[in-house]
Amino acid sequence: MKQQKSFAPQLQFSKATVNFSQFFSILIVGCLLFTAACKTDPDCPGDPECVTCPGDPSCPPETVDASTINFNCSDLNGDFTFENNPDAAVDYLIDCTLNIDFDVVVEPGTVIAFAEGASIAIKDDGSLKALGTAAEPIVFQGEEDAKGYWKGIGIQSNSLKNQFDHVRVYNAGSNYVFCCNNYASIAVENTGRLDISNSILDGGAGHGLVVEFDGVLGNYANNTISNHDLNPMYISPQQLSALDGVTSTYTDNIDNTIGVYTGTVTIAQTWPKNTIPYKLIGAYVTYIETNITVAAGADFTFEEDGGIGVRTDGSFKAVGTGVEPIKFRGEEPAKGYWKGIHYDSNSLNNQLAFVEVSDAGSGYIFCCGEAASVRVESGRLSLTNSTLSNGAGYGLIVLNDQVLENFANNSINTHDEAPIYMTPEQLGKIDGASTFTGNLDNYIRAWDTTVDISQTWGKTTIPYKFDGGNTYIEADVQVAAGAELVFQEDAGFGVRNGGSFKAVGTTTETITFRGDEPINGYWNGIHYNTNSTDNLLSFISISDGGNSYVFCCSAQANVNVENEASATVTNSSISNSGGWGIETQSGGNVTQSGNTFTNNTLGDVGP
């Protein structure tokens, strides 16, 4: 079968002239002869050509016969070449573990069969070079056509001579070759190395190709891995950039994903888009300690409680496109199935754009705190044109003193907590075009802290909500017309230390400040302790304040001005205060006009 044969009939014509009917008759006879000669090769089901089908997975394995050499593994005691015998269907039969401690070469066209449980083990000092051709592939096969009939090929050597091209590996993966690792047709173990191209791995009982955490996958291109009982590939995250993307194919594997070991990534690289998703295996976090870029269109699934943690020295950049978004999702579409992507890095390369993150929020990655689909623990992130959904915790968390570099055109939906929970110092980064739907607490949450970055809080599609406790403003903060700010119990604003607070709405877009519940005195109100001309409230609606003072010790008002501070309040609605509507103390000065007052417990303006 290994010899190429030409079956085309040789039709000869004389130079004499033939008439049309003679020519037509000859043509018909010639076509019939050609068709008869070019029937499907009986050894190659479905092959329409007049050739054999070397390496076609649909072909039955070559058969061991009298011309096959029974190779004794103990005879390999130096460099060796496995030779192709064109007259033998199977050149060699190996019924043992062939330990390779030397340089071994396999000639193009060579077929090596393995008895049940046999294998090849390429040890530290050995190498195996198997360079076939498209016409003469090299075949490693089971003696019988049964999935997982032999163990496969294990590689511990890091030799550059470990090269496979136009190689076929059939029916391997019955067990590990080197104790005690994953079953695979080919396994690159420890610090082993392999180049593999234009090759087929088919019919394996384990994984197709395994590259362990410290293994090296050199050249990898145009391979087909099919019909395995586990993943077609199980590979170190250190080696993902070696994959050739969409030119290799993976079909009919029971778990048709590229399995990825979890651990710490220290090799800078780009993770490409492939024809099938990646799957990060195990309930562990993959930590990034270098610069990682993810190509547009890549798809990542995570097993339960997995996640990505970007440490101080690392960065994680995933920039897709509108046509090819990058996906990060749970293996199952369940809320909180995996942890999410958490940043502890201050790199400007931390970018998520045209990304879809779903099913996350099972817990924190960097101890300790609230769960989120995406969390900026200590550092910075740009998040644009992305969707976060189906999370068990918050959508996005940005902790105190951290930086949200850019936030625009995002959609954060269906989380069990708020879509955003963040430091108020970064509220000015939230755009008005992003959408937030189906979250159980559908607010942009901000906790109580000090704001020392000048900014404008824009009008957003949902309200802001401030935690219970006072937020101190020590910079120039403005609020855009149409914004809505909600306060939890005992929350409040205190403007101090050179800060200013300006909220100017319009007749059609007032700015609203209100309690989370419509109760007199639910929150503390806005208290000024600075003398700035930018302390201005106009066309606002403020209600439910006046619970307690912000600056010691007795002020109760929706708006309080004290300690020789100044503010202007005009054309506003002031209501439902637990104390005064507007209050001045200790030399504070308020200019007010055009305001309406309703249901303020101690009075409208006082004392």
Side-chain angles (χ1 to χ4, degrees):
M1 174 178 167
K2 291 192 293 179
Q3 292 179 316
Q4 302 294 312
K5 301 178 178 65
S6 175
F7 298 99
Q10 303 298 312
L11 300 179
Q12 296 182 351
F13 298 89
S14 72
K15 295 182 180 179
T17 303
V18 295
N19 63 32
F20 177 78
S21 61
Q22 288 174 321
F23 176 79
F24 188 71
S25 299
I26 292 171
L27 181 63
I28 292 174
V29 170
C31 289
L32 291 172
L33 288 171
F34 188 86
T35 302
C38 284
K39 287 183 178 179
T40 299
D41 186 329
D43 289 328
C44 302
D47 188 346
E49 305 295 336
C50 291
V51 295
T52 59
C53 54
D56 187 336
S58 66
C59 297
E62 302 285 7
T63 303
V64 173
D65 57 25
S67 60
T68 300
I69 297 172
N70 287 288
F71 191 83
N72 189 336
C73 291
S74 63
D75 290 342
L76 185 64
N77 50 25
D79 296 348
F80 185 81
T81 297
F82 285 97
E83 297 177 346
N84 173 25
N85 177 4
D87 296 322
V90 174
D91 297 291
Y92 300 90
L93 174 64
I94 295 175
D95 64 357
C96 49
T97 295
L98 180 63
N99 292 303
I100 296 179
D101 291 297
F102 309 97
D103 293 332
V104 173
V105 174
V106 184
E107 287 186 346
T110 302
V111 177
I112 302 176
F114 294 83
E116 189 172 9
S119 64
I120 292 178
I122 307 170
K123 295 192 170 181
D124 291 347
D125 296 327
S127 69
L128 179 61
K129 180 179 287 188
L131 301 180
T133 68
E136 291 190 298
I138 294 167
V139 178
F140 300 98
Q141 65 172 52
E143 184 181 7
E144 296 185 13
D145 185 16
K147 182 176 280 192
Y149 190 77
W150 61 295
K151 289 181 181 178
I153 302 171
I155 303 171
Q156 288 187 335
S157 155
N158 63 4
S159 172
L160 293 173
K161 297 177 183 178
N162 292 327
Q163 301 173 28
F164 290 5
D165 186 48
H166 291 287
V167 166
R168 313 296 188 243
V169 180
Y170 298 138
N171 298 327
S174 65
N175 207 326
Y176 51 76
V177 175
F178 294 106
C179 185
C180 301
N181 298 305
N182 295 285
Y183 300 3
S185 295
I186 301 175
V188 182
E189 307 187 17
N190 296 345
T191 58
R193 177 189 176 91
L194 175 65
D195 294 346
I196 181 168
S197 56
N198 303 302
S199 295
I200 295 173
L201 313 183
D202 184 78
H207 300 284
L209 172 64
V210 167
V211 181
E212 290 190 344
F213 207 88
D214 294 319
V216 176
L217 186 61
N219 179 45
Y220 180 91
N222 301 311
N223 299 301
T224 297
I225 306 180
S226 54
N227 295 302
H228 284 78
D229 285 348
L230 297 174
N231 309 78
M233 183 178 294
Y234 190 16
I235 184 171
S236 163
Q238 304 264 63
Q239 298 298 312
L240 292 182
S241 63
L243 302 183
D244 61 337
V246 297
T247 59
S248 289
T249 58
Y250 313 93
T251 58
D252 298 322
N253 304 287
I254 290 180
D255 186 351
N256 206 38
T257 60
I258 295 173
V260 182
Y261 285 87
T262 51
T264 300
V265 183
T266 59
I267 299 174
Q269 60 190 288
T270 295
W271 293 347
K273 171 189 174 182
N274 290 282
T275 55
I276 58 174
Y278 298 97
K279 182 196 283 186
L280 279 75
I281 303 294
Y284 306 102
V285 172
T286 295
Y287 289 101
I288 309 297
E289 293 185 351
T290 185
N291 298 321
I292 296 297
T293 300
V294 181
D299 186 0
F300 293 81
T301 63
F302 294 80
E303 290 194 333
E304 195 168 8
D305 285 329
I308 292 177
V310 186
R311 286 178 167 160
T312 305
D313 295 330
S315 68
F316 190 72
K317 179 179 181 180
V319 177
T321 68
V323 177
E324 289 193 304
I326 298 170
K327 298 178 181 180
F328 301 93
R329 56 191 172 89
E331 183 184 16
E332 296 182 12
K335 280 189 176 184
Y337 193 79
W338 62 294
K339 287 186 168 69
I341 305 172
H342 294 194
Y343 287 87
D344 197 28
S345 155
N346 199 38
S347 172
L348 289 170
N349 287 326
N350 292 332
Q351 300 176 40
L352 299 177
F354 293 102
V355 162
E356 298 174 6
V357 180
S358 60
D359 318 317
S362 66
Y364 58 78
I365 290 178
F366 301 107
C367 187
C368 302
E370 299 87 354
S373 295
V374 177
R375 181 179 168 113
V376 183
E377 187 81 18
S378 176
R380 69 180 63 230
L381 172 66
S382 174
L383 178 65
T384 59
N385 300 296
S386 294
T387 299
L388 315 182
S389 65
N390 205 41
Y394 295 91
L396 169 67
I397 287 179
V398 182
L399 294 182
N400 279 339
D401 300 322
Q402 311 318 314
V403 177
L404 188 60
E405 195 69 32
N406 192 14
F407 184 95
N409 300 311
N410 298 301
S411 180
I412 306 181
N413 312 315
T414 57
H415 284 78
D416 286 347
E417 301 286 352
I420 298 178
Y421 194 17
M422 68 187 306
T423 170
E425 292 197 299
Q426 297 297 311
L427 288 179
K429 302 294 179 63
I430 305 299
D431 69 315
S434 291
T435 59
F436 313 93
T437 59
N439 305 288
L440 294 186
D441 188 15
N442 208 34
Y443 297 90
I444 298 170
R445 290 274 306 274
W447 47 75
D448 51 300
T449 187
T450 298
V451 180
D452 56 13
I453 299 173
S454 295
Q455 60 192 284
T456 296
W457 296 342
K459 175 187 176 182
T460 53
T461 55
I462 58 174
Y464 301 95
K465 183 190 281 188
F466 291 83
D467 278 359
N470 292 317
T471 296
Y472 292 100
I473 295 173
E474 297 183 352
D476 297 322
V477 173
Q478 298 187 40
V479 182
E484 182 176 4
L485 291 75
V486 177
F487 296 82
Q488 291 188 333
E489 192 170 12
D490 296 328
F493 283 169
V495 186
R496 68 184 187 185
N497 294 345
S500 66
F501 187 73
K502 181 178 183 179
V504 178
T506 68
T507 54
T508 57
E509 286 193 308
T510 59
I511 299 170
T512 300
F513 301 87
R514 63 177 177 85
D516 194 25
E517 297 184 21
I519 299 172
N520 285 54
Y522 191 79
W523 64 292
N524 292 338
I526 303 172
H527 292 217
Y528 287 97
N529 199 12
T530 64
N531 188 13
S532 172
T533 55
D534 285 328
N535 290 336
L536 173 61
L537 304 177
S538 184
F539 291 102
I540 74 164
S541 172
I542 185 168
S543 61
D544 314 320
N547 172 66
S548 184
Y549 58 82
V550 174
F551 304 111
C552 190
C553 287
S554 60
Q556 287 180 273
N558 277 344
V559 179
N560 174 267
V561 183
E562 58 185 276
N563 295 328
E564 300 183 356
S566 62
T568 298
V569 183
T570 63
N571 301 304
S572 296
S573 171
I574 302 167
S575 64
N576 223 32
S577 171
W580 297 96
I582 298 175
E583 180 181 25
T584 58
Q585 285 185 316
S586 305
N589 179 53
V590 172
T591 300
Q592 64 100 5
S593 64
N595 300 307
T596 60
F597 298 88
T598 306
N599 193 33
N600 297 299
T601 302
L602 296 181
D604 296 337
V605 180

